[in-house]
mmCIF file of all heavy atoms in Angstrom:
data_model
loop_
_atom_site.group_PDB
_atom_site.id
_atom_site.type_symbol
_atom_site.label_atom_id
_atom_site.label_comp_id
_atom_site.label_asym_id
_atom_site.label_seq_id
_atom_site.Cartn_x
_atom_site.Cartn_y
_atom_site.Cartn_z
ATOM 1 N N VAL E 131 91.243 -33.470 -52.631
ATOM 2 C CA VAL E 131 90.166 -34.397 -52.264
ATOM 3 C C VAL E 131 89.034 -33.623 -51.590
ATOM 4 O O VAL E 131 89.222 -32.487 -51.110
ATOM 5 C CB VAL E 131 90.668 -35.518 -51.336
ATOM 6 C CG1 VAL E 131 91.762 -36.327 -52.019
ATOM 7 C CG2 VAL E 131 91.165 -34.970 -50.007
ATOM 8 N N VAL E 132 87.879 -34.277 -51.496
ATOM 9 C CA VAL E 132 86.702 -33.576 -50.978
ATOM 10 C C VAL E 132 86.610 -33.567 -49.451
ATOM 11 O O VAL E 132 85.869 -32.768 -48.892
ATOM 12 C CB VAL E 132 85.401 -34.212 -51.528
ATOM 13 C CG1 VAL E 132 85.307 -33.999 -53.014
ATOM 14 C CG2 VAL E 132 85.319 -35.696 -51.186
ATOM 15 N N GLY E 133 87.309 -34.437 -48.766
ATOM 16 C CA GLY E 133 87.174 -34.433 -47.308
ATOM 17 C C GLY E 133 88.132 -35.404 -46.655
ATOM 18 O O GLY E 133 88.906 -36.110 -47.328
ATOM 19 N N PRO E 134 88.099 -35.501 -45.318
ATOM 20 C CA PRO E 134 89.070 -36.301 -44.578
ATOM 21 C C PRO E 134 88.957 -37.803 -44.860
ATOM 22 O O PRO E 134 89.964 -38.511 -44.827
ATOM 23 C CB PRO E 134 88.764 -35.995 -43.111
ATOM 24 C CG PRO E 134 87.389 -35.406 -43.116
ATOM 25 C CD PRO E 134 87.226 -34.711 -44.415
ATOM 26 N N ALA E 135 87.754 -38.317 -45.160
ATOM 27 C CA ALA E 135 87.627 -39.748 -45.436
ATOM 28 C C ALA E 135 88.380 -40.110 -46.726
ATOM 29 O O ALA E 135 89.041 -41.158 -46.801
ATOM 30 C CB ALA E 135 86.160 -40.138 -45.568
ATOM 31 N N THR E 136 88.292 -39.254 -47.717
ATOM 32 C CA THR E 136 89.012 -39.501 -48.965
ATOM 33 C C THR E 136 90.516 -39.357 -48.754
ATOM 34 O O THR E 136 91.307 -40.127 -49.309
ATOM 35 C CB THR E 136 88.535 -38.530 -50.057
ATOM 36 O OG1 THR E 136 87.115 -38.538 -50.113
ATOM 37 C CG2 THR E 136 89.079 -38.932 -51.417
ATOM 38 N N ALA E 137 90.907 -38.415 -47.908
ATOM 39 C CA ALA E 137 92.338 -38.258 -47.597
ATOM 40 C C ALA E 137 92.860 -39.489 -46.863
ATOM 41 O O ALA E 137 93.987 -39.954 -47.132
ATOM 42 C CB ALA E 137 92.542 -37.008 -46.757
ATOM 43 N N ARG E 138 92.059 -40.048 -45.956
ATOM 44 C CA ARG E 138 92.479 -41.263 -45.237
ATOM 45 C C ARG E 138 92.638 -42.431 -46.216
ATOM 46 O O ARG E 138 93.570 -43.232 -46.094
ATOM 47 C CB ARG E 138 91.474 -41.613 -44.160
ATOM 48 C CG ARG E 138 91.532 -40.737 -42.919
ATOM 49 C CD ARG E 138 90.794 -41.368 -41.759
ATOM 50 N NE ARG E 138 89.376 -41.529 -42.047
ATOM 51 C CZ ARG E 138 88.455 -40.591 -41.822
ATOM 52 N NH1 ARG E 138 88.814 -39.424 -41.338
ATOM 53 N NH2 ARG E 138 87.177 -40.826 -42.090
ATOM 54 N N ALA E 139 91.714 -42.534 -47.170
ATOM 55 C CA ALA E 139 91.816 -43.602 -48.164
ATOM 56 C C ALA E 139 93.109 -43.488 -48.950
ATOM 57 O O ALA E 139 93.783 -44.496 -49.231
ATOM 58 C CB ALA E 139 90.606 -43.573 -49.089
ATOM 59 N N LEU E 140 93.495 -42.279 -49.315
ATOM 60 C CA LEU E 140 94.745 -42.075 -50.045
ATOM 61 C C LEU E 140 95.947 -42.592 -49.254
ATOM 62 O O LEU E 140 96.857 -43.218 -49.814
ATOM 63 C CB LEU E 140 94.948 -40.589 -50.320
ATOM 64 C CG LEU E 140 94.379 -39.966 -51.575
ATOM 65 C CD1 LEU E 140 94.711 -38.479 -51.605
ATOM 66 C CD2 LEU E 140 94.903 -40.636 -52.834
ATOM 67 N N ARG E 141 95.955 -42.334 -47.964
ATOM 68 C CA ARG E 141 97.111 -42.705 -47.144
ATOM 69 C C ARG E 141 97.306 -44.221 -47.108
ATOM 70 O O ARG E 141 98.438 -44.693 -46.890
ATOM 71 C CB ARG E 141 96.968 -42.137 -45.737
ATOM 72 C CG ARG E 141 97.128 -40.617 -45.703
ATOM 73 C CD ARG E 141 97.357 -40.123 -44.284
ATOM 74 N NE ARG E 141 96.181 -40.271 -43.446
ATOM 75 C CZ ARG E 141 95.222 -39.354 -43.328
ATOM 76 N NH1 ARG E 141 95.290 -38.220 -44.007
ATOM 77 N NH2 ARG E 141 94.187 -39.564 -42.535
ATOM 78 N N THR E 142 96.246 -44.997 -47.301
ATOM 79 C CA THR E 142 96.408 -46.463 -47.305
ATOM 80 C C THR E 142 97.234 -46.940 -48.492
ATOM 81 O O THR E 142 97.735 -48.057 -48.478
ATOM 82 C CB THR E 142 95.039 -47.174 -47.315
ATOM 83 O OG1 THR E 142 94.374 -46.906 -48.556
ATOM 84 C CG2 THR E 142 94.177 -46.714 -46.166
ATOM 85 N N TYR E 143 97.391 -46.080 -49.501
ATOM 86 C CA TYR E 143 98.201 -46.427 -50.669
ATOM 87 C C TYR E 143 99.518 -45.637 -50.703
ATOM 88 O O TYR E 143 100.216 -45.644 -51.720
ATOM 89 C CB TYR E 143 97.406 -46.173 -51.956
ATOM 90 C CG TYR E 143 96.131 -46.976 -52.005
ATOM 91 C CD1 TYR E 143 94.921 -46.417 -51.619
ATOM 92 C CD2 TYR E 143 96.158 -48.311 -52.420
ATOM 93 C CE1 TYR E 143 93.747 -47.170 -51.649
ATOM 94 C CE2 TYR E 143 94.983 -49.061 -52.435
ATOM 95 C CZ TYR E 143 93.796 -48.494 -52.063
ATOM 96 O OH TYR E 143 92.618 -49.237 -52.068
ATOM 97 N N GLY E 144 99.826 -44.978 -49.614
ATOM 98 C CA GLY E 144 101.086 -44.254 -49.521
ATOM 99 C C GLY E 144 101.068 -42.885 -50.164
ATOM 100 O O GLY E 144 102.123 -42.276 -50.331
ATOM 101 N N TRP E 145 99.902 -42.379 -50.528
ATOM 102 C CA TRP E 145 99.779 -41.040 -51.107
ATOM 103 C C TRP E 145 99.195 -40.076 -50.087
ATOM 104 O O TRP E 145 98.423 -40.486 -49.202
ATOM 105 C CB TRP E 145 98.856 -41.067 -52.339
ATOM 106 C CG TRP E 145 99.525 -41.600 -53.581
ATOM 107 C CD1 TRP E 145 100.775 -42.147 -53.683
ATOM 108 C CD2 TRP E 145 98.971 -41.641 -54.897
ATOM 109 N NE1 TRP E 145 101.026 -42.528 -54.971
ATOM 110 C CE2 TRP E 145 99.946 -42.227 -55.738
ATOM 111 C CE3 TRP E 145 97.749 -41.236 -55.426
ATOM 112 C CZ2 TRP E 145 99.723 -42.420 -57.108
ATOM 113 C CZ3 TRP E 145 97.534 -41.425 -56.803
ATOM 114 C CH2 TRP E 145 98.506 -42.022 -57.624
ATOM 115 N N GLN E 146 99.557 -38.816 -50.191
ATOM 116 C CA GLN E 146 99.078 -37.783 -49.292
ATOM 117 C C GLN E 146 98.296 -36.734 -50.074
ATOM 118 O O GLN E 146 98.725 -36.311 -51.153
ATOM 119 C CB GLN E 146 100.252 -37.105 -48.567
ATOM 120 C CG GLN E 146 101.010 -38.000 -47.611
ATOM 121 C CD GLN E 146 100.236 -38.311 -46.355
ATOM 122 O OE1 GLN E 146 99.397 -37.527 -45.928
ATOM 123 N NE2 GLN E 146 100.506 -39.460 -45.750
ATOM 124 N N ALA E 147 97.197 -36.297 -49.516
ATOM 125 C CA ALA E 147 96.433 -35.207 -50.137
ATOM 126 C C ALA E 147 97.159 -33.886 -49.933
ATOM 127 O O ALA E 147 97.589 -33.564 -48.817
ATOM 128 C CB ALA E 147 95.048 -35.138 -49.548
ATOM 129 N N THR E 148 97.311 -33.131 -50.997
ATOM 130 C CA THR E 148 97.886 -31.790 -50.932
ATOM 131 C C THR E 148 96.835 -30.783 -50.457
ATOM 132 O O THR E 148 97.153 -29.854 -49.728
ATOM 133 C CB THR E 148 98.394 -31.356 -52.311
ATOM 134 O OG1 THR E 148 99.228 -32.386 -52.851
ATOM 135 C CG2 THR E 148 99.173 -30.048 -52.231
ATOM 136 N N LEU E 149 95.602 -31.008 -50.866
ATOM 137 C CA LEU E 149 94.496 -30.087 -50.585
ATOM 138 C C LEU E 149 93.283 -30.890 -50.163
ATOM 139 O O LEU E 149 92.836 -31.780 -50.891
ATOM 140 C CB LEU E 149 94.172 -29.254 -51.836
ATOM 141 C CG LEU E 149 92.963 -28.321 -51.747
ATOM 142 C CD1 LEU E 149 93.238 -27.196 -50.745
ATOM 143 C CD2 LEU E 149 92.631 -27.738 -53.110
ATOM 144 N N VAL E 150 92.742 -30.601 -48.965
ATOM 145 C CA VAL E 150 91.518 -31.217 -48.475
ATOM 146 C C VAL E 150 90.476 -30.114 -48.321
ATOM 147 O O VAL E 150 90.652 -29.213 -47.495
ATOM 148 C CB VAL E 150 91.738 -31.943 -47.127
ATOM 149 C CG1 VAL E 150 90.442 -32.616 -46.666
ATOM 150 C CG2 VAL E 150 92.866 -32.969 -47.250
ATOM 151 N N ALA E 151 89.423 -30.183 -49.110
ATOM 152 C CA ALA E 151 88.414 -29.129 -49.058
ATOM 153 C C ALA E 151 87.762 -29.089 -47.686
ATOM 154 O O ALA E 151 87.359 -30.120 -47.139
ATOM 155 C CB ALA E 151 87.355 -29.365 -50.135
ATOM 156 N N SER E 152 87.658 -27.908 -47.101
ATOM 157 C CA SER E 152 87.044 -27.766 -45.785
ATOM 158 C C SER E 152 85.558 -28.063 -45.840
ATOM 159 O O SER E 152 84.965 -28.530 -44.860
ATOM 160 C CB SER E 152 87.290 -26.352 -45.234
ATOM 161 O OG SER E 152 86.772 -25.376 -46.129
ATOM 162 N N GLN E 153 84.926 -27.770 -46.979
ATOM 163 C CA GLN E 153 83.542 -28.173 -47.214
ATOM 164 C C GLN E 153 83.581 -29.483 -47.981
ATOM 165 O O GLN E 153 83.992 -29.495 -49.143
ATOM 166 C CB GLN E 153 82.792 -27.119 -47.994
ATOM 167 C CG GLN E 153 82.717 -25.775 -47.303
ATOM 168 C CD GLN E 153 81.960 -24.761 -48.146
ATOM 169 O OE1 GLN E 153 80.770 -24.906 -48.403
ATOM 170 N NE2 GLN E 153 82.666 -23.731 -48.583
ATOM 171 N N ALA E 154 83.179 -30.562 -47.325
ATOM 172 C CA ALA E 154 83.422 -31.887 -47.864
ATOM 173 C C ALA E 154 82.402 -32.283 -48.924
ATOM 174 O O ALA E 154 81.606 -33.215 -48.765
ATOM 175 C CB ALA E 154 83.437 -32.914 -46.734
ATOM 176 N N HIS E 155 82.416 -31.559 -50.028
ATOM 177 C CA HIS E 155 81.618 -31.925 -51.184
ATOM 178 C C HIS E 155 82.307 -31.363 -52.431
ATOM 179 O O HIS E 155 83.268 -30.596 -52.325
ATOM 180 C CB HIS E 155 80.175 -31.429 -51.075
ATOM 181 C CG HIS E 155 80.028 -29.990 -50.722
ATOM 182 N ND1 HIS E 155 80.221 -28.980 -51.638
ATOM 183 C CD2 HIS E 155 79.733 -29.384 -49.551
ATOM 184 C CE1 HIS E 155 80.032 -27.803 -51.056
ATOM 185 N NE2 HIS E 155 79.735 -28.029 -49.791
ATOM 186 N N ALA E 156 81.817 -31.760 -53.588
ATOM 187 C CA ALA E 156 82.541 -31.459 -54.824
ATOM 188 C C ALA E 156 82.698 -29.965 -55.043
ATOM 189 O O ALA E 156 83.782 -29.494 -55.463
ATOM 190 C CB ALA E 156 81.811 -32.087 -56.004
ATOM 191 N N MET E 157 81.661 -29.176 -54.788
ATOM 192 C CA MET E 157 81.779 -27.742 -55.011
ATOM 193 C C MET E 157 82.715 -27.086 -53.998
ATOM 194 O O MET E 157 83.319 -26.067 -54.282
ATOM 195 C CB MET E 157 80.392 -27.100 -54.988
ATOM 196 C CG MET E 157 79.497 -27.566 -56.134
ATOM 197 S SD MET E 157 80.295 -27.469 -57.759
ATOM 198 C CE MET E 157 80.359 -25.690 -57.964
ATOM 199 N N GLY E 158 82.828 -27.687 -52.815
ATOM 200 C CA GLY E 158 83.794 -27.190 -51.857
ATOM 201 C C GLY E 158 85.210 -27.370 -52.370
ATOM 202 O O GLY E 158 86.095 -26.529 -52.171
ATOM 203 N N LEU E 159 85.448 -28.476 -53.060
ATOM 204 C CA LEU E 159 86.762 -28.703 -53.660
ATOM 205 C C LEU E 159 87.039 -27.702 -54.770
ATOM 206 O O LEU E 159 88.152 -27.165 -54.883
ATOM 207 C CB LEU E 159 86.854 -30.139 -54.186
ATOM 208 C CG LEU E 159 88.161 -30.546 -54.859
ATOM 209 C CD1 LEU E 159 89.354 -30.322 -53.958
ATOM 210 C CD2 LEU E 159 88.084 -32.006 -55.321
ATOM 211 N N LEU E 160 86.030 -27.420 -55.580
ATOM 212 C CA LEU E 160 86.209 -26.445 -56.664
ATOM 213 C C LEU E 160 86.605 -25.084 -56.091
ATOM 214 O O LEU E 160 87.528 -24.424 -56.587
ATOM 215 C CB LEU E 160 84.923 -26.334 -57.481
ATOM 216 C CG LEU E 160 84.963 -25.366 -58.662
ATOM 217 C CD1 LEU E 160 85.982 -25.794 -59.694
ATOM 218 C CD2 LEU E 160 83.566 -25.230 -59.285
ATOM 219 N N GLU E 161 85.940 -24.686 -55.036
ATOM 220 C CA GLU E 161 86.257 -23.393 -54.424
ATOM 221 C C GLU E 161 87.660 -23.389 -53.829
ATOM 222 O O GLU E 161 88.399 -22.406 -53.947
ATOM 223 C CB GLU E 161 85.225 -23.080 -53.335
ATOM 224 C CG GLU E 161 85.434 -21.754 -52.648
ATOM 225 C CD GLU E 161 84.380 -21.470 -51.594
ATOM 226 O OE1 GLU E 161 83.317 -22.120 -51.617
ATOM 227 O OE2 GLU E 161 84.608 -20.585 -50.736
ATOM 228 N N ALA E 162 88.050 -24.504 -53.196
ATOM 229 C CA ALA E 162 89.357 -24.579 -52.551
ATOM 230 C C ALA E 162 90.489 -24.544 -53.576
ATOM 231 O O ALA E 162 91.585 -24.060 -53.275
ATOM 232 C CB ALA E 162 89.450 -25.848 -51.711
ATOM 233 N N LEU E 163 90.243 -25.026 -54.768
ATOM 234 C CA LEU E 163 91.307 -25.043 -55.791
ATOM 235 C C LEU E 163 91.704 -23.656 -56.252
ATOM 236 O O LEU E 163 92.851 -23.431 -56.632
ATOM 237 C CB LEU E 163 90.831 -25.860 -57.010
ATOM 238 C CG LEU E 163 90.813 -27.367 -56.840
ATOM 239 C CD1 LEU E 163 90.043 -28.009 -57.998
ATOM 240 C CD2 LEU E 163 92.228 -27.930 -56.766
ATOM 241 N N GLY E 164 90.770 -22.725 -56.226
ATOM 242 C CA GLY E 164 91.075 -21.376 -56.724
ATOM 243 C C GLY E 164 91.154 -21.372 -58.242
ATOM 244 O O GLY E 164 90.588 -22.226 -58.930
ATOM 245 N N PRO E 165 91.860 -20.409 -58.817
ATOM 246 C CA PRO E 165 91.939 -20.307 -60.289
ATOM 247 C C PRO E 165 92.557 -21.561 -60.901
ATOM 248 O O PRO E 165 93.584 -22.058 -60.453
ATOM 249 C CB PRO E 165 92.832 -19.088 -60.503
ATOM 250 C CG PRO E 165 92.723 -18.295 -59.234
ATOM 251 C CD PRO E 165 92.573 -19.298 -58.145
ATOM 252 N N VAL E 166 91.930 -22.052 -61.976
ATOM 253 C CA VAL E 166 92.418 -23.258 -62.632
ATOM 254 C C VAL E 166 92.655 -23.042 -64.133
ATOM 255 O O VAL E 166 92.958 -23.990 -64.853
ATOM 256 C CB VAL E 166 91.421 -24.427 -62.439
ATOM 257 C CG1 VAL E 166 91.364 -24.847 -60.978
ATOM 258 C CG2 VAL E 166 90.031 -24.068 -62.967
ATOM 259 N N ALA E 167 92.540 -21.818 -64.603
ATOM 260 C CA ALA E 167 92.672 -21.554 -66.046
ATOM 261 C C ALA E 167 94.032 -22.045 -66.563
ATOM 262 O O ALA E 167 95.080 -21.729 -66.002
ATOM 263 C CB ALA E 167 92.542 -20.057 -66.303
ATOM 264 N N GLY E 168 93.981 -22.867 -67.569
ATOM 265 C CA GLY E 168 95.199 -23.365 -68.216
ATOM 266 C C GLY E 168 95.847 -24.531 -67.521
ATOM 267 O O GLY E 168 96.861 -25.045 -68.005
ATOM 268 N N LEU E 169 95.298 -24.983 -66.373
ATOM 269 C CA LEU E 169 95.909 -26.080 -65.641
ATOM 270 C C LEU E 169 95.385 -27.422 -66.140
ATOM 271 O O LEU E 169 94.180 -27.584 -66.385
ATOM 272 C CB LEU E 169 95.629 -25.950 -64.138
ATOM 273 C CG LEU E 169 96.118 -24.671 -63.462
ATOM 274 C CD1 LEU E 169 95.847 -24.726 -61.968
ATOM 275 C CD2 LEU E 169 97.598 -24.456 -63.722
ATOM 276 N N SER E 170 96.283 -28.383 -66.251
ATOM 277 C CA SER E 170 95.903 -29.739 -66.629
ATOM 278 C C SER E 170 95.398 -30.486 -65.394
ATOM 279 O O SER E 170 96.143 -30.634 -64.404
ATOM 280 C CB SER E 170 97.093 -30.470 -67.240
ATOM 281 O OG SER E 170 96.735 -31.757 -67.647
ATOM 282 N N VAL E 171 94.142 -30.928 -65.418
ATOM 283 C CA VAL E 171 93.490 -31.533 -64.232
ATOM 284 C C VAL E 171 92.915 -32.887 -64.613
ATOM 285 O O VAL E 171 92.258 -33.027 -65.655
ATOM 286 C CB VAL E 171 92.371 -30.606 -63.722
ATOM 287 C CG1 VAL E 171 91.659 -31.265 -62.529
ATOM 288 C CG2 VAL E 171 92.925 -29.239 -63.323
ATOM 289 N N LEU E 172 93.162 -33.880 -63.767
ATOM 290 C CA LEU E 172 92.593 -35.215 -63.923
ATOM 291 C C LEU E 172 91.618 -35.449 -62.764
ATOM 292 O O LEU E 172 92.022 -35.428 -61.610
ATOM 293 C CB LEU E 172 93.693 -36.262 -63.927
ATOM 294 C CG LEU E 172 93.248 -37.728 -64.007
ATOM 295 C CD1 LEU E 172 92.456 -38.012 -65.273
ATOM 296 C CD2 LEU E 172 94.464 -38.652 -63.906
ATOM 297 N N LEU E 173 90.368 -35.660 -63.112
ATOM 298 C CA LEU E 173 89.309 -35.863 -62.118
ATOM 299 C C LEU E 173 88.884 -37.320 -62.127
ATOM 300 O O LEU E 173 88.483 -37.856 -63.162
ATOM 301 C CB LEU E 173 88.119 -34.952 -62.444
ATOM 302 C CG LEU E 173 86.828 -35.154 -61.650
ATOM 303 C CD1 LEU E 173 87.059 -34.932 -60.152
ATOM 304 C CD2 LEU E 173 85.738 -34.235 -62.187
ATOM 305 N N VAL E 174 88.984 -37.974 -60.967
ATOM 306 C CA VAL E 174 88.648 -39.398 -60.835
ATOM 307 C C VAL E 174 87.379 -39.504 -60.004
ATOM 308 O O VAL E 174 87.323 -39.018 -58.862
ATOM 309 C CB VAL E 174 89.809 -40.164 -60.170
ATOM 310 C CG1 VAL E 174 89.448 -41.636 -60.015
ATOM 311 C CG2 VAL E 174 91.076 -40.020 -60.974
ATOM 312 N N GLN E 175 86.352 -40.176 -60.563
ATOM 313 C CA GLN E 175 85.071 -40.259 -59.861
ATOM 314 C C GLN E 175 84.262 -41.453 -60.387
ATOM 315 O O GLN E 175 84.750 -42.256 -61.162
ATOM 316 C CB GLN E 175 84.279 -38.976 -60.055
ATOM 317 C CG GLN E 175 84.037 -38.593 -61.514
ATOM 318 C CD GLN E 175 83.394 -37.234 -61.672
ATOM 319 O OE1 GLN E 175 83.338 -36.437 -60.752
ATOM 320 N NE2 GLN E 175 82.878 -36.968 -62.858
#
């Protein structure tokens, strides 16, 4: 997720964020993910 507000929203449904980008914007999340080659990714927006 992009930041703590999105992580809090997840918790209301019983889900936990594995990764919270320290820079709370989309490109911060891309950087936090690291290498993604060959990984199956579902982006919800």
Side-chain angles (χ1 to χ4, degrees):
V131 301
V132 294
T136 310
R138 285 196 298 273
L140 272 180
R141 290 195 291 272
T142 66
Y143 300 97
W145 282 6
Q146 294 287 332
T148 310
L149 175 67
V150 181
S152 58
Q153 299 179 64
H155 50 77
M157 295 310 290
L159 179 56
L160 181 63
E161 181 178 343
L163 285 168
V166 293
L169 301 184
S170 182
V171 178
L172 176 60
L173 171 60
V174 179
Q175 56 186 14

